[in-house]
C-alpha cells in the first residue's frame, strides 16, 4: 500500500511527540516530512534555563538527534520555515522555495515570547527567552555588558534571572504585580520565594509597569509608568507567550487567540491539524508540556485511524524548581467565601503548604520547600476525592500522624501520577517494567516517556524500579543506559570493555551490540572517555568521537566563530604575555577581548582558519575553556601580598594547574585556592577548593556554583602543599574511575557519599595506587594547540574554511 504523505510545520516538543506516538501506532502508514525554523533537531525547551545557567550544553538537551530522524525515515529540513499553505493543491512552500505535497498536514509552530508593545522594544539588547537563539544572545551579551533587567516575575523570568546571575551580570527583576509567580503561588509562598532569591543576588522591582525602553540604537535603561527609571544594558522580556498563528491566519484557517481545534485536534479545514502551543482548544491555549503531550497522543491516534477518547482539556499541576526552591502548584490558589484552607507555615525550615478545600474536595494546592506529597495530593484533586472523613494531618501527609513513609512507593496507588509532564502514572510504569523487562530509568523513559521532559521525576522512577524488580535493580550504581543506542549502563559498558579487552569506540559498539551502527553524540564521547580511563597507559584518543568544542580545541560561538582562551596558571600572567595577546587581537581583528570568570583573557569571534596561526603567535598553551577537564585554578594574591593571607595561594594554584592540566575527566573541573577563610577565590563552591588556615590547608570538595548551588564539603585538612596535591590527585582519579561521563563532582559526591570517599582516601596504599594510575595517564597528553601547529594533516582536516549545509 502506498504511504500517505504527512507534512509537519514545526520541529518542537509537541509536534515530535505526536510523531513518536504515531510511529508506535502505525509505523508504515506515512511518508513524513518536517520543516523547522531553528537549525537544530528537537530539543528540550524546558531545559533552556539550564543552558543559560551553564549547567548543560545544547547537546545535552537534544531529545531526538539527527540519527533518530534518519532511522525513522523522516525528511527533516532545519532552518527552513513554511511561508505558505496551498490548501487547494495540498502543498506547502518553504522559505527556501521548496514545495512539499501533503495528504495530512500538522501545524505545530509553537509560540514566541510576547514582547511588550512599548516604545524602544525594537532596540538592540532587548530579547525574549524562548529558544536556543535567545540563550545564545544573552550569553554573548554577558561577555560585554553587566547590567540586566528581566521583565516578568513568573517562572520563566526567574529562571532567566538566575542564569544571568550565573553569567556574572547584575540583575533586576521587574514585575507588574505585588508578588512573584502570582499564578502559581499565594502571597505567603511568594514572599518566601522572594526572600530566598534576594539572598542569591536578585533585586526585585515590584508593582512596576514598563512604559518605555531607553537608549539610542541599544538599550540603556527602562522608564516606568510612575516616572522612575532603572539602568540596563540587556532587557529580557519574560511576560508571556504568543501563539505562532500567522501562517494559519494567512491560509484562511480559523484563528482566535490560537489555531482553533476540536477534541481531535482538527482545524476547520479538512486534513489540517494543529497541536501544541499554537493550538486553542475550548478557548484555552496551553503553555505547559503535559497537556501538549496529551494533545499529541490524541492526534497520533486520529492520524493512525485508531479509536481513541477525545481530548477534553487538562487540569494542570505544575512541579516547578526555581533556583533551588522546590514548588508545586495546582488548581485554585486564592481563597473565597466558598473555600476553607489547610495551611502550614514553617518559616524556620522554609516550608509552606496550603490545601484549598471546596465542597469537601481539594480544589487547589500550593507547596513550597517540601513537595514530596504533590503527586498524591494532585491525584486527590483530579479525582475529586471526598476528604470529609480525613483529618487535616492525613490530607497533608500520607499515613497521617507519622503513620506512614511518604517516600515508600509501595504505598502509591497505581493511578498516582509520577511524570506530570507526560501524564505517566505509577501503574503504567510498573506494567511497562514487567511486560518489557525494563531495568533502567532510561529504558522506562524510552518505553513510557516518563522522565524525558524536565527529568525531575527520575529519582521516583528509580524507586519504582527498585520496588518492582527488587534485587535485580542496584540503586547504588548508575543504572541508566548511557544513551538510546544501548540498554547498557555505564558500569556495564566499563565492565565489558575490561573483560573483553575492547580498545576503540567502533569495536565497543560492534561487540556490545549497539542499536545504531555509528552511535550518537551522547555515547561516542562517553565510550572514548571510558576507553581512555581504562587503558590509561598509551590509549590513542579518538578525536572525532569527541564533542565539537573538544574536537576543535576551541569553543564554537553562535555565528560559527570560535573563542581562544590561553592558559594563565593560577590566574597569574606577565606583561610579555599581555602584550602578545594584545598584538594578536589587533592583528586578527578580534571583535571581543573579555576577562573571564576563571581569571583568564578570552578572545572571541575568531575564524576557524585563523586558529592555528593565532595559537602559534601567542606561544601559550590551551586554557581548555572548552573541555571536560581541569578548566581553571582561581587564586587570590595570598600571603605574598595580602595582609590577611596565611598561605601562598598563588604558588599552590600554579602547581595544581601545571600538574593536572589536560587531564580528561567525566565533566569539567574547577578549582579555587584562597589564602585565608575570607575565601576570595570562591573555594567553597568549586569542585575542589583549598582554604589556607594557620598551619596548613583545608580541602573542600563537591561544590557547585550553577543552578543547583551547592556548598562544598570539608574533605580533610593537610599541613603542606605536597599533601594537598597528593590528596587532589587521588580524589580526581577516583572521580575519573567511578563517575559517569558528564556527571559533575557534586552529584557524584552525593551519590557515593562523603564518608565513603574519605575512607577511600584515608588509606595510604589506595592513595598511592590512584596517584600512580593518574600519573601514568598524564604522561600520554600532548599540548593540543602545539600539535595543530606542527601537524599539517590536523590543520588541513580541522582548520580550513568550509561551508556546511544541513538538510
Amino acid at each position: 500500500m502506498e504511504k500517505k504523505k504527512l507534512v509537519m510545520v514545526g520541529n518542537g516538543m509537541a509536534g515530535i511527540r505526536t510523531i513518536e506516538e504515531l510511529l508506535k501506532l502505525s509505523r508504515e502508514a506515512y511518508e513524513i516530512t518536517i520543516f523547522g525554523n531553528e537549525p537544530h533537531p528537537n530539543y528540550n525547551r524546558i531545559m533552556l534555563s539550564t543552558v543559560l545557567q551553564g549547567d548543560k550544553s545544547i547537546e545535552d538537551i537534544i531529545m531526538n538527534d539527527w540519527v533518530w530522524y534518519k532511522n525513522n525515515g523522516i525528511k527533516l529540513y532545519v532552518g527552513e520555515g513554511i511561508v505558505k499553505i496551498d490548501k487547494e493543491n495540498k502543498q506547502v512552500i518553504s522559505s527556501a522555495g521548496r514545495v512539499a505535497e501533503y495528504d495530512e498536514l500538522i501545524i505545530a509552530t509553537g509560540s514566541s515570547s510576547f514582547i511588550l508593545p512599548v516604545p524602544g522594544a525594537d532596540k538592540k539588547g532587548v530579547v525574549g527567552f524562548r529558544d536556543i537563539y535567545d540563550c545564545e544572545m544573552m550569553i554573548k551579551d554577558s561577555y560585554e555588558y553587566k547590567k540586566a533587567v528581566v521583565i516578568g516575575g513568573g517562572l520563566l523570568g526567574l529562571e532567566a534571572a538566575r542564569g544571568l546571575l550565573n553569567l556574572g551580570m547584575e540583575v533586576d527583576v521587574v514585575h507588574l504585580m505585588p508578588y512573584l509567580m502570582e499564578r502559581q503561588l499565594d502571597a505567603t509562598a511568594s514572599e518566601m520565594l522572594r526572600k530566598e532569591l534576594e539572598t542569591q543576588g536578585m533585586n526585585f522591582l515590584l508593582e512596576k509597569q514598563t512604559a518605555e525602553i531607553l537608549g539610542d540604537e541599544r538599550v540603556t535603561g527602562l522608564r516606568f509608568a510612575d516616572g522612575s527609571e532603572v539602568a540596563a544594558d540587556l532587557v529580557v522580556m519574560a511576560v508571556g507567550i504568543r501563539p505562532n498563528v500567522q501562517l494559519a491566519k494567512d491560509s484562511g484557517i480559523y484563528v482566535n487567540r490560537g489555531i482553533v481545534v476540536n477534541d481531535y485536534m482538527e482545524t476547520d479545514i479538512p486534513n489540517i491539524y494543529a497541536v501544541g502551543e499554537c493550538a486553542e482548544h475550548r478557548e484555552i491555549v496551553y503553555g505547559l508540556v503535559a497537556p501538549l503531550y496529551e494533545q499529541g497522543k490524541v492526534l497520533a491516534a486520529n492520524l493512525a485511524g485508531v479509536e481513541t477518547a477525545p481530548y477534553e482539556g487538562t487540569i494542570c499541576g505544575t512541579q516547578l524548581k526555581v533556583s533551588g526552591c522546590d514548588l508545586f502548584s495546582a488548581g485554585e490558589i486564592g481563597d473565597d467565601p466558598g473555600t476553607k484552607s489547610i495551611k502550614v507555615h514553617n518559616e524556620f525550615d522554609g516550608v509552606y503548604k496550603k490545601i484549598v478545600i471546596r465542597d469537601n474536595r481539594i480544589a487547589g494546592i500550593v507547596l513550597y520547600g517540601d513537595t514530596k506529597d504533590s503527586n498524591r495530593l494532585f491525584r486527590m484533586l483530579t479525582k475529586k476525592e471526598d476528604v470529609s472523613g480525613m483529618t487535616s494531618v492525613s490530607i497533608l501527609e500520607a499515613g497521617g500522624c507519622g503513620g506512614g513513609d511518604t517516600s515508600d512507593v509501595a504505598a502509591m496507588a497505581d493511578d498516582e501520577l509520577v511524570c506530570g509532564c507526560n501524564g505517566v502514572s505509577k501503574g503504567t510504569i510498573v506494567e511497562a517494567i514487567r511486560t518489557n523487562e525494563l531495568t533502567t530509568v532510561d529504558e522506562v523513559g524510552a518505553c513510557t516517556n516518563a522522565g524525558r521532559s524536565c527529568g525531575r521525576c527520575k529519582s521516583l522512577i528509580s524507586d519504582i524500579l527498585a520496588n518492582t524488580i527488587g534485587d535485580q535493580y542496584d540503586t547504588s550504581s548508575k543504572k541508566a543506559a548511557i544513551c538510546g543506542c544501548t540498554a547498557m549502563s555505564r558500569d556495564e559498558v566499563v565492565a565489558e570493555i575490561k573483560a573483553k579487552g575492547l580498545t576503540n569506540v567502533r569495536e565497543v559498539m560492534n561487540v556490545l551490540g549497539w542499536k545504531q551502527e555509528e552511535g550518537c553524540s551522547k555515547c561516542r564521547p562517553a565510550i572514548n572517555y571510558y576507553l581512555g580511563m581504562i587503558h590509561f597507559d598509551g590509549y590513542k584518543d579518538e578525536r572525532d568521537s569527541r564533542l565539537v568544542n573538544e574536537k576543535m580545541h576551541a569553543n564554537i560561538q553562535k555565528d560559527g566563530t570560535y573563542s581562544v582562551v590561553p592558559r594563565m596558571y593560577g590566574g597569574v600572567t606577565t606583561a610579555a604575555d599581555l602584550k602578545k595577546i594584545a598584538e594578536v587581537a589587533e592583528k586578527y581583528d578580534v571583535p571581543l577581548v573579555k576577562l573571564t570568570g576563571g581569571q583568564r583573557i578570552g578572545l572571541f569571534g575568531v575564524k576557524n582558519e585563523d586558529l592555528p596561526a593565532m595559537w602559534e603567535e601567542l606561544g601559550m598553551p590551551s586554557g581548555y575553556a572548552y573541555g571536560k577537564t581541569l578548566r581553571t585554578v582561581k587564586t587570590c594574591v595570598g600571603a605574598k601580598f595580602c595582609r590577611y593571607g596565611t598561605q601562598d595561594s598563588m604558588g599552590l594554584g600554579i602547581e595544581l594547574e601545571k600538574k593536572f592540566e589536560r587531564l580528561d575527566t567525566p565533566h569539567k573541573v574547577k578549582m579555587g585556592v584562597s589564602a585565608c577563610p575570607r575565601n576570595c577565590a570562591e573555594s567553597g563552591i568549586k569542585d575542589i577548593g583549598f582554604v589556607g588556615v594557620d598551619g596548613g590547608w583545608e580541602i573542600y570538595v563537591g561544590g557547585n556554583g550553577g543552578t543547583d548551588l551547592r556548598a562544598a564539603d570539608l574533605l580533610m585538612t593537610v599541613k603542606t602543599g605536597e599533601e594537598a596535591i597528593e590528596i587532589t590527585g587521588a580524589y580526581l582519579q577516583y572521580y575519573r574511575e567511578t563517575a559517569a561521563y558528564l556527571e559533575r563532582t557534586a552529584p557524584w559526591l552525593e551519590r557515593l557519599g562523603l564518608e565513603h570517599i574519605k575512607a577511600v582516601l584515608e588509606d595510604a596504599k589506595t592513595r598511592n595506587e590512584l596517584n600512580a594510575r593518574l600519573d601514568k595517564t598524564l604522561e600520554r597528553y600532548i599540548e593540543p594547540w602545539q600539535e595543530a601547529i606542527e601537524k599539517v594533516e590536523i590543520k588541513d582536516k580541522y582548520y580550513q574554511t568550509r561551508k556546511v549545509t544541513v538538510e
Side-chain angles (χ1 to χ4, degrees):
M1 187 176 68
E2 186 178 352
K3 290 185 177 182
K4 295 172 72 176
K5 294 178 180 178
L6 173 65
V7 172
M8 186 164 74
V9 185
N11 187 37
M13 293 173 70
I16 296 300
R17 176 52 59 84
T18 304
I19 300 299
E20 288 179 330
E21 296 290 345
L22 178 60
L23 291 171
K24 291 178 186 177
L25 295 171
S26 186
R27 188 172 187 83
E28 301 301 323
Y30 290 96
E31 177 185 304
I32 302 172
T33 302
I34 299 175
F35 291 86
N37 273 322
E38 295 187 70
H40 310 281
N42 178 41
Y43 61 89
N44 191 339
R45 199 177 300 274
I46 297 172
M47 304 303 285
L48 276 174
S49 58
T50 66
V51 174
L52 182 63
Q53 294 163 15
D55 290 332
K56 292 186 181 294
S57 66
I58 300 301
E59 291 83 2
D60 293 335
I61 67 170
I62 297 296
M63 297 182 73
N64 303 80
D65 61 17
W66 307 109
V67 175
W68 179 84
Y69 295 87
K70 180 181 177 182
N71 290 341
N72 287 289
I74 297 170
K75 291 180 184 177
L76 172 64
Y77 298 105
V78 296
E80 191 172 338
I82 295 299
V83 296
K84 183 179 179 181
I85 299 172
D86 182 346
K87 305 190 299 291
E88 286 71 27
N89 296 308
K90 286 193 170 183
Q91 295 177 337
V92 295
I93 303 169
S94 79
S95 56
R98 194 185 312 274
V99 177
E101 297 181 345
Y102 69 84
D103 294 302
E104 311 288 347
L105 175 66
I106 301 173
I107 302 175
T109 47
S111 64
S112 302
S113 295
F114 178 71
I115 302 298
L116 291 174
V118 296
D122 57 348
K123 295 185 188 299
K124 291 181 180 178
V126 179
V127 299
F129 184 28
R130 198 68 194 150
D131 55 27
I132 287 173
Y133 177 78
D134 292 333
C135 278
E136 291 173 334
M137 288 295 293
M138 285 186 265
I139 292 169
K140 181 182 177 182
D141 281 353
S142 73
Y143 295 146
E144 187 174 353
Y145 303 103
K146 283 301 167 192
K147 182 64 193 304
V149 169
V150 176
I151 303 178
L155 170 66
L156 203 61
L158 298 179
E159 288 182 340
R162 179 65 259 178
L164 293 168
L165 283 173
N166 286 8
L167 292 170
M169 301 193 79
E170 180 186 340
V171 183
D172 289 330
V173 177
V174 174
H175 195 50
L176 182 63
M177 305 303 288
Y179 57 89
L180 303 173
M181 292 184 65
E182 71 282 351
R183 293 184 180 181
Q184 289 87 18
L185 304 178
D186 66 1
T188 304
S190 177
E191 180 66 8
M192 294 175 73
L193 176 64
R194 182 186 64 80
K195 289 179 179 178
E196 169 58 29
L197 295 179
E198 284 177 340
T199 67
Q200 296 183 22
M202 291 186 205
N203 181 53
F204 294 99
L205 303 174
L206 301 178
E207 297 183 86
K208 291 287 187 180
Q209 182 177 354
T210 303
E212 182 181 359
I213 296 175
L214 307 175
D216 295 325
E217 288 189 8
R218 185 177 181 89
V219 59
T220 59
L222 273 70
R223 178 176 295 127
F224 301 114
D226 62 7
S228 61
E229 297 181 2
V230 63
D233 304 311
L234 172 68
V235 172
V236 180
M237 296 269 194
V239 292
I241 59 174
R242 172 176 285 169
N244 293 325
V245 298
Q246 194 60 47
L247 175 66
K249 187 179 291 186
D250 293 344
S251 303
I253 299 168
Y254 180 46
V255 171
N256 186 32
R257 182 174 172 229
I259 303 169
V260 176
V261 295
N262 62 18
D263 290 354
Y264 295 93
M265 311 316 294
E266 300 165 337
T267 70
D268 65 323
I269 304 298
N271 308 109
I272 298 181
Y273 312 84
V275 68
E277 292 174 335
C278 66
E280 178 179 331
H281 175 263
R282 299 188 184 182
E283 301 184 348
I284 298 175
V285 175
Y286 293 95
L288 297 174
V289 71
L292 309 186
Y293 282 175
E294 289 181 36
Q295 293 176 2
K297 200 166 186 176
V298 171
L299 176 53
N302 188 5
L303 290 168
V306 175
E307 187 174 345
T308 185
Y311 176 68
E312 297 180 326
T314 306
I315 299 174
C316 294
T318 310
Q319 183 92 38
L320 309 173
K321 194 171 185 359
V322 180
S323 301
C325 307
D326 285 320
L327 308 173
F328 180 84
S329 166
E332 301 178 31
I333 305 306
D335 297 303
D336 64 43
T339 64
K340 293 182 179 180
S341 295
I342 304 168
K343 297 181 183 179
V344 174
H345 186 188
N346 181 346
E347 196 169 6
F348 180 77
D349 290 330
V351 172
Y352 176 73
K353 300 181 181 185
K354 176 180 178 180
I355 311 300
V356 180
I357 309 291
R358 183 188 296 278
D359 298 329
N360 292 320
R361 287 168 175 80
I362 294 178
I365 307 163
V366 178
L367 304 176
Y368 178 91
D370 178 3
T371 62
K372 64 180 180 293
D373 287 293
S374 57
N375 289 334
R376 179 182 57 83
L377 290 167
F378 185 60
R379 185 200 73 235
M380 294 169 69
L381 184 153
T382 54
K383 288 188 169 297
K384 300 180 180 179
E385 294 182 13
D386 190 332
V387 298
S388 58
M390 301 175 67
T391 66
S392 59
V393 174
S394 62
I395 292 172
L396 285 168
E397 296 184 5
C401 299
D405 183 0
T406 59
S407 66
D408 185 2
V409 296
M412 290 174 61
D414 282 347
D415 61 355
E416 191 162 326
L417 202 61
V418 173
C419 178
C421 295
N422 299 299
V424 185
S425 67
K426 175 197 171 185
T428 300
I429 293 172
V430 170
E431 182 182 358
I433 292 169
R434 290 173 175 162
T435 303
N436 300 287
E437 298 182 350
L438 308 180
T439 59
T440 72
V441 172
D442 276 7
E443 286 177 349
V444 171
C447 187
T448 68
N449 284 317
R452 289 191 64 210
S453 295
C454 77
R456 290 168 193 150
C457 60
K458 285 187 174 181
S459 61
L460 183 55
I461 296 170
S462 177
D463 291 341
I464 293 172
L465 271 163
N467 183 70
T468 305
I469 61 179
D471 293 341
Q472 296 176 56
Y473 183 66
D474 180 6
T475 55
S476 67
S477 63
K478 193 171 182 66
K479 289 292 290 180
I482 66 171
C483 74
C485 299
T486 178
M488 299 182 73
S489 69
R490 177 263 183 210
D491 289 348
E492 290 165 339
V493 170
V494 168
E496 289 294 298
I497 291 172
K498 291 177 179 178
K500 292 180 168 62
L502 307 178
T503 58
N504 62 67
V505 173
R506 185 169 291 280
E507 185 181 31
V508 170
M509 294 190 294
N510 287 342
V511 172
L512 302 186
W514 245 235
K515 299 172 188 175
Q516 311 300 338
E517 184 179 346
E518 298 297 322
C520 68
S521 60
K522 290 183 179 179
C523 63
R524 290 186 68 89
I527 296 169
N528 185 52
Y529 169 75
Y530 296 139
L531 286 165
M533 179 270 291
I534 293 163
H535 304 302
F536 55 85
D537 189 2
Y539 174 70
K540 183 172 176 55
D541 180 73
E542 295 188 25
R543 184 168 182 160
D544 286 333
S545 290
R546 286 184 174 269
L547 298 172
V548 62
N549 290 336
E550 293 185 306
K551 181 164 62 178
M552 302 302 295
H553 286 284
N555 259 327
I556 191 168
Q557 307 299 304
K558 60 168 289 184
D559 59 358
T561 62
Y562 291 83
S563 62
V564 172
V565 184
R567 181 74 74 183
M568 290 182 178
Y569 296 103
V572 178
T573 188
T574 65
D577 280 346
L578 290 173
K579 185 177 180 181
K580 282 192 289 186
I581 291 171
E583 288 171 346
V584 167
E586 280 193 341
K587 178 176 178 179
Y588 291 92
D589 196 24
V590 175
L592 175 64
V593 181
K594 175 77 170 64
L595 293 174
T596 73
Q599 298 180 336
R600 305 291 183 265
I601 295 176
L603 308 178
F604 296 86
V606 178
K607 297 174 184 176
N608 171 285
E609 61 269 24
D610 288 340
L611 288 170
M614 287 183 65
W615 295 339
E616 185 171 12
E617 292 180 38
L618 283 169
M620 302 168 71
S622 168
Y624 275 85
Y626 48 81
K628 306 295 184 283
T629 180
L630 174 62
R631 292 282 182 91
T632 63
V633 182
K634 192 170 185 177
T635 68
C636 64
V637 296
K640 286 187 177 180
F641 292 93
C642 179
R643 291 178 297 154
Y644 304 106
T646 61
Q647 301 291 343
D648 179 10
S649 54
M650 289 188 293
L652 179 58
I654 291 169
E655 199 171 349
L656 285 162
E657 197 158 354
K658 287 186 174 181
K659 166 78 173 178
F660 300 114
E661 65 175 330
R662 296 193 281 274
L663 177 69
D664 285 318
T665 47
H667 212 302
K668 62 186 175 185
V669 171
K670 298 180 181 181
M671 298 186 191
V673 186
S674 300
C676 75
R678 285 176 173 79
N679 218 342
C680 295
E682 301 166 349
S683 304
I685 54 170
K686 301 297 184 189
D687 294 277
I688 309 177
F690 306 83
V691 177
V693 293
D694 289 333
W697 295 96
E698 292 178 339
I699 304 176
Y700 291 84
V701 293
N704 184 27
T707 312
D708 297 316
L709 188 66
R710 186 184 193 278
D713 296 316
L714 178 62
L715 179 67
M716 62 180 68
T717 302
V718 297
K719 293 181 179 179
T720 66
E722 290 77 13
E723 290 177 89
I725 291 173
E726 179 194 358
I727 294 297
T728 301
Y731 179 84
L732 281 173
Q733 184 63 15
Y734 195 60
Y735 168 55
R736 295 183 74 243
E737 294 179 358
T738 56
Y741 184 69
L742 298 184
E743 184 178 22
R744 290 292 300 270
T745 61
W748 170 76
L749 178 68
E750 291 183 348
R751 179 167 63 83
L752 267 64
L754 179 64
E755 295 307 314
H756 166 78
I757 293 172
K758 281 183 178 181
V760 170
L761 299 185
E762 283 170 358
D763 183 75
K765 182 182 177 184
T766 301
R767 271 201 320 272
N768 291 337
E769 290 172 348
L770 288 166
N771 273 303
R773 292 195 291 273
L774 179 134
D775 289 341
K776 199 67 181 175
T777 301
L778 287 168
E779 289 177 7
R780 77 165 191 258
Y781 296 112
I782 57 176
E783 210 294 305
W785 289 0
Q786 190 63 35
E787 184 185 33
I789 294 164
E790 294 173 353
K791 294 186 177 180
V792 175
E793 63 271 22
I794 290 178
K795 198 180 300 184
D796 288 345
K797 182 174 182 180
Y798 298 105
Y799 304 108
Q800 297 295 326
T801 305
R802 53 190 176 279
K803 186 177 180 181
V804 178
T805 302
V806 179
E807 182 173 298

